[in-house]
Amino acid sequence: MKVLVVSVHPDDETLGCGGTILKHLKNGDELYSIIVTKADKSVGFTKKFIDKREEQINKISKEYGLKKVYRLNYLTTKLQCVDINDFINSVSKIINDIKPEIVYMNNRSDVHTDHQITAKVLISCTKSFRCPFIKKILMYECVSETEMAPPFPENIFVPNVYSDITDFIDKKLEIMNIYESEVQNPPLPRSLENIKALARYRGASCGVDYAEAFMLVRERF
C-alpha cells in the first residue's frame, strides 16, 4: 500500500500521525512525504538553524523509512503570497507520480495560515474523479495549531477515526525530540508530556492505551 503524508512544516507529521506512520512502516507499506515549506534567512532563520533543520529532516526521514521526501520549498509563514495555481499544480504532479492509496493531511481549520492554505490545496488536488487511486483521506490534528483555533462550529476538530499507537508512542516521542527547537517545556502545548497526554486521551476515546485521532475526509472501499 502506498501512503502519502503531507507536512506543512517539518514536525507536523510527527505531531499529527507519527505513531501511525510507524505502524505503516511495520506493516511494510510504501511511505512518501511532502514537506511544503522551508526555513530561510529571508524570514528570519539563521544558517545554523537551517543547517540543523536539514539534518533533522534527513534523520527523521530514515526513522520513518520514507521512500522519498518531496520538498516544495515555499517560505514558511508566506504561503498567502504563493500563486495558488502553482501550488496546486506542484502538489497534483506529486500525487499523480506516487498514486497513493491513503493520504494524511493537516486539519483544514488549524489556526496557522500556512495550514489553512495547504488544506485547501490538498482538497482541490484530491478530487475523486481526478485521483481514483486514493481510497482514504484523513486530516490529522497538530498540537498548538488545531486546538488553538477559535471555537466556532466550522473550526472544531471532531475525530471519527482512531489509530492505536500503543506500540509506537515511545518511538513517536523519541522522534519528536529530534526536533529540538520545537519541543517545549510543560505546561506549553508541544511538551513531550502534553503530546503523550493527548495520545492517552485519544486512546481512552477508543478503548486503547494510546491513539492518534483523525477526521475522515473521504473513503472509498
Side-chain angles (χ1 to χ4, degrees):
M1 179 180 292
K2 292 183 178 182
V3 178
L4 173 62
V5 181
V6 180
S7 302
V8 183
H9 310 100
D11 82 350
D12 290 344
E13 81 294 323
T14 299
L15 288 168
C17 56
T20 303
I21 296 171
L22 292 168
K23 184 192 291 189
H24 280 296
L25 177 63
K26 183 179 180 182
N27 290 342
D29 294 327
E30 203 169 288
L31 290 156
Y32 298 85
S33 172
I34 296 174
I35 299 177
V36 175
T37 66
K38 68 173 182 178
D40 190 82
K41 290 182 180 179
S42 66
V43 286
F45 293 93
T46 64
K47 184 178 185 301
K48 181 179 180 181
F49 178 93
I50 294 167
D51 291 344
K52 184 68 174 178
R53 178 49 54 91
E54 289 303 311
E55 291 177 11
Q56 293 167 349
I57 290 171
N58 291 334
K59 184 173 182 179
I60 286 163
S61 297
K62 291 178 182 177
E63 293 282 358
Y64 285 138
L66 300 177
K67 185 168 183 179
K68 185 171 182 178
V69 178
Y70 294 82
R71 307 285 295 275
L72 296 185
N73 289 322
Y74 293 122
L75 294 178
T76 185
T77 73
K78 297 293 183 180
L79 285 185
Q80 71 275 11
C81 302
V82 171
D83 184 303
I84 199 71
N85 288 323
D86 289 344
F87 194 174
I88 290 171
N89 289 337
S90 297
V91 174
S92 292
K93 184 179 184 304
I94 294 170
I95 288 174
N96 281 285
D97 283 346
I98 300 170
K99 291 184 170 51
E101 295 170 73
I102 299 179
V103 176
Y104 293 98
M105 59 175 283
N106 60 288
N107 176 42
R108 90 286 189 217
S109 58
D110 285 355
V111 73
H112 202 306
T113 304
D114 283 354
H115 287 214
Q116 296 169 18
I117 294 169
T118 300
K120 289 180 180 179
V121 168
L122 261 293
I123 296 298
S124 177
C125 291
T126 54
K127 295 175 182 176
S128 59
F129 66 91
R130 295 193 187 280
C131 303
F133 43 83
I134 296 177
K135 296 180 179 178
K136 187 182 294 186
I137 304 171
L138 293 160
M139 292 193 302
Y140 58 76
E141 58 185 333
C142 191
V143 172
S144 84
E145 302 294 353
T146 304
E147 81 281 13
M148 295 294 176
F152 306 138
E154 66 270 20
N155 289 342
I156 297 173
F157 181 84
V158 184
N160 52 10
V161 176
Y162 295 87
S163 171
D164 182 357
I165 62 163
T166 302
D167 293 340
F168 307 100
I169 183 63
D170 291 336
K171 185 65 175 178
K172 169 175 173 160
L173 296 175
E174 180 184 318
I175 292 173
M176 185 62 206
N177 212 30
I178 294 172
Y179 289 117
E180 299 169 14
S181 63
E182 304 302 324
V183 176
Q184 301 171 317
N185 294 320
L188 295 177
R190 291 195 180 190
S191 68
L192 296 180
E193 290 89 339
N194 187 49
I195 295 167
K196 188 171 186 178
L198 177 60
R200 184 67 160 172
Y201 173 68
R202 294 308 189 193
S205 299
C206 64
V208 301
D209 287 332
Y210 296 97
E212 288 169 339
F214 304 90
M215 284 185 69
L216 179 65
V217 177
R218 189 176 76 242
E219 183 175 31
R220 177 176 57 82
F221 61 93

